[in-house]
Amino acid sequence: MEKRLLGSLEVSALGYGAMGLSHAYGAPLDEGEALRVLNAAFDAGYTFIDTAEVYGPYLNEKLVGKAFASRRDKVQIATKCGIRLAEHDHGLPLPDSSPDFIRASLEGSLKRLNTSYIDLYYLHRIDPGHSPEEVADLMASFIKEGKILHYGISEVSEDYLRRAHAVCPVTAIQNRYSMMYRNYETLFPVLEELNVGFVAFSPLANGFLSGAYPKGTHFDPHNDYRSRMVQFTDASQDRNAEFIAFLDSLAKKYSATPSQLALAWLLERRPYIVPIPGSRSAERLKENAQAADLNLSAADMAALTGALESLPLSEVFGGTKG
């Protein structure tokens, strides 16, 4: 797979979002199957692997650490801090950017990932109780200690990004971005000014843009967040039908799938955008990876963008406006 730069960090053009192996998308996979999927991701060309301590919680980092222990220098691992669970290992997630908590999180992540350093360490969510400068200064100390190589921020606004970047250079932001959630495009000029990369999470609108979940699809309300996502409701399926049909039709022109076209559209938007689709299927991983080789014409990029702006689209789960 071709490479891209997030600031000065070189990564695969598509990253692999490992969250679904153990969190939010159904019952966690058993260890053997999860490791098989992670190995399949690497074999398909994904070298940029995204996880977080709260996925599982904690289990996801252990899986990533185990999968890449023998080839640590061949992957770039991103993980996250700054969310405390109300009941220690479960319960309501609460933002916590206190220095003691973040340092303890970092040490825990290093141990679970079986590594001496983390390539990209994100603040997972903004804590209004601690300033951007305070957190950035702490991240700078981690970089000086060699425990992290790059600092990132997830779900960030322009003001927070600028203030943090002034203290410790930010390598990348990780915000929600897909055809159906484009609010953060307003940050493009800032990212270009500061040379900050954009890691796009939920690039397929939590799988909706794949077309694999038609009207009437059932998700287990106990362990699958999609059961509560607005884009999967019958009303939203009806509202989105015209655009999904257009996406499918254009994909056929390229002998591609809707997922591949949706990912290729993101890659074409800016050279510093790295989508991180997640899947529990080795075949789907390979399919998504091929999006990095799909070159959309300027006319078709314009047609897609025009369709997004003219055809009805439902709301999509999550996201904080920048």
Side-chain angles (χ1 to χ4, degrees), residues 223-238:
N223 55 29
D224 196 319
Y225 286 13
R226 289 170 294 186
S227 65
R228 302 187 292 277
M229 292 182 182
V230 63
Q231 65 265 37
F232 293 103
T233 65
D234 286 352
S236 292
Q237 293 272 13
D238 289 341

Side-chain angles (χ1 to χ4, degrees), residues 47-60:
T47 63
F48 183 41
I49 312 298
D50 184 88
T51 183
E53 67 171 350
V54 295
Y55 298 163
Y58 314 120
L59 175 60
N60 206 266

Side-chain angles (χ1 to χ4, degrees), residues 10-251:
E10 186 178 71
V11 299
S12 51
L14 291 168
Y16 175 60
M19 180 182 76
L21 299 176
S22 59
H23 183 79
Y25 287 84
L29 297 183
D30 65 57
E31 182 178 291
E33 180 62 14
L35 293 175
R36 188 182 75 83
V37 173
L38 286 164
N39 286 326
F42 182 81
D43 292 342
Y46 300 86
T47 63
F48 183 41
I49 312 298
D50 184 88
T51 183
E53 67 171 350
V54 295
Y55 298 163
Y58 314 120
L59 175 60
N60 206 266
E61 287 184 324
K62 291 179 181 177
L63 293 170
V64 170
K66 186 169 241 184
F68 300 110
S70 64
R71 49 193 171 185
R72 179 64 184 89
D73 60 335
K74 293 180 171 59
V75 294
Q76 302 81 47
I77 294 175
T79 192
K80 310 176 192 75
C81 66
I83 292 182
R84 172 173 55 85
L85 299 178
E87 305 300 328
H88 302 293
D89 61 355
H90 65 282
L92 186 69
L94 304 169
D96 187 344
S97 293
S98 59
D100 287 348
F101 179 74
I102 290 180
R103 184 169 285 278
S105 293
L106 174 60
E107 296 301 333
S109 290
L110 289 169
K111 183 176 181 180
R112 287 185 291 272
L113 289 165
N114 192 28
T115 186
S116 61
Y117 67 95
I118 291 165
D119 297 275
L120 179 56
Y121 198 47
Y122 293 106
L123 181 68
H124 204 158
R125 290 292 183 269
I126 304 302
D127 176 0
H130 295 272
S131 72
E133 293 81 4
E134 180 184 11
V135 177
D137 186 63
L138 183 63
M139 294 295 180
S141 71
F142 294 158
I143 291 172
K144 187 175 181 180
E145 294 167 21
K147 293 182 177 181
I148 72 172
L149 304 186
H150 298 272
Y151 165 38
I153 312 171
S154 183
E155 292 280 50
V156 68
S157 65
E158 178 180 350
D159 177 67
Y160 192 103
L161 173 60
R162 286 188 179 278
R163 289 173 61 185
H165 189 79
V167 175
C168 178
V170 176
T171 292
I173 66 168
Q174 184 184 127
N175 285 15
R176 183 181 300 275
Y177 186 32
S178 72
M179 285 180 162
M180 295 182 70
Y181 193 90
R182 299 174 59 193
N183 303 57
Y184 290 115
E185 289 182 351
T186 58
L187 290 179
F188 285 171
V190 183
L191 300 178
E192 289 156 17
E193 174 192 340
L194 302 179
N195 189 31
V196 174
F198 190 154
V199 177
F201 78 82
S202 296
L204 297 175
N206 306 97
F208 181 81
L209 289 168
S210 70
Y213 305 102
K215 187 175 178 179
T217 300
H218 173 75
F219 300 104
D220 189 333
H222 296 100
N223 55 29
D224 196 319
Y225 286 13
R226 289 170 294 186
S227 65
R228 302 187 292 277
M229 292 182 182
V230 63
Q231 65 265 37
F232 293 103
T233 65
D234 286 352
S236 292
Q237 293 272 13
D238 289 341
R239 183 169 178 78
N240 295 322
E242 188 176 358
F243 176 74
I244 294 299
F246 174 82
L247 184 66
D248 186 58
S249 175
L250 190 57

